[in-house]
Amino acid sequence: DDESVRRDLDLAEPTEKAVEMVRFGWGKISVRLKHTEPVPIVYANESEVVHIVFHLLLNAFQAGGKNAVIDVELGHREGGAIVSVSDRGPGIPSNHLPHIFDPFFTTGRPGRLGLGLSLSWEMARHNGGRIEADNRSEGGAVFTLWLPAEKASPEPDRTLAEANGTSKGPRTRERC
C-alpha cells in the first residue's frame, strides 16, 4: 500500500490515528472526538492527513497547557469534509493571525522551529484543501482543516508566491 498516493478516505480514520498518537504520547491530555453528522469521503493522502491533524492537536496541547482539553469535531462544509481542533488556551493574538502559517513563525519557547503549521498548510494545499485559524468567542483557538469531498485533479506544484501572484508576502488564509 503506497501511502504517497491519494485515495478515497473517511476522515475519521486518520483523525482517530492522530488522536491515539497524542493520547499515547501525553497520557493526561483530554481529547474529545465527536462527529454527529455524516462526513463526506475525501480524496487525500492518509499519512499527510494524520500529520496535519497531529500537528493541530500538538498546537492545541501546547496552547492549553498541562491539563489541556481539546475538542475535535468532524463534519461537512462547502462541499467538503472538515476536522476542527479547538483548545481553551489564550487564543491567537490578532497581529499573529496573518503569519500563523508562515515558515519559522513561532510564539513558543526558543528552540522551536515553527514549521509544524507551515508544513500542515502545505500538505492541506497538496490535497486540494486549506486550513483556517481563528479565535473562539468563548476563548481559545480553533484550527479547521477542509478537504474537498470529490476527486479533483492534482494542482500542479507551485510556490506560494506563484499561487498568490507575488514574489513574497504573508500567507493568506481562506475561510472555510
Side-chain angles (χ1 to χ4, degrees), residues 12-106:
E13 296 169 21
T15 300
E16 289 167 2
K17 285 180 182 179
V19 168
E20 287 307 311
M21 288 168 52
V22 167
R23 284 183 177 148
F24 179 76
W26 305 300
K28 294 185 180 184
I29 191 170
S30 174
V31 179
R32 300 184 313 191
L33 177 61
K34 68 177 184 175
H35 42 98
T36 55
E37 53 194 42
V39 179
I41 299 297
V42 299
Y43 187 67
N45 178 310
E46 183 178 15
S47 63
E48 289 182 352
V49 175
V50 170
H51 176 97
I52 294 166
V53 176
F54 177 80
H55 275 281
L56 296 181
L57 289 165
L58 174 61
N59 194 62
F61 173 72
Q62 291 170 342
K66 248 170 124 172
N67 299 316
V69 175
I70 300 169
D71 293 310
V72 179
E73 186 172 353
L74 293 160
H76 63 84
R77 191 182 303 160
E78 295 178 359
I82 61 165
V83 178
S84 291
V85 177
S86 305
D87 66 60
R88 296 187 176 133
I92 306 166
S94 59
N95 61 323
H96 291 173
L97 273 171
H99 307 288
I100 203 82
F101 297 107
D102 289 350
F104 305 109
F105 180 81
T106 182

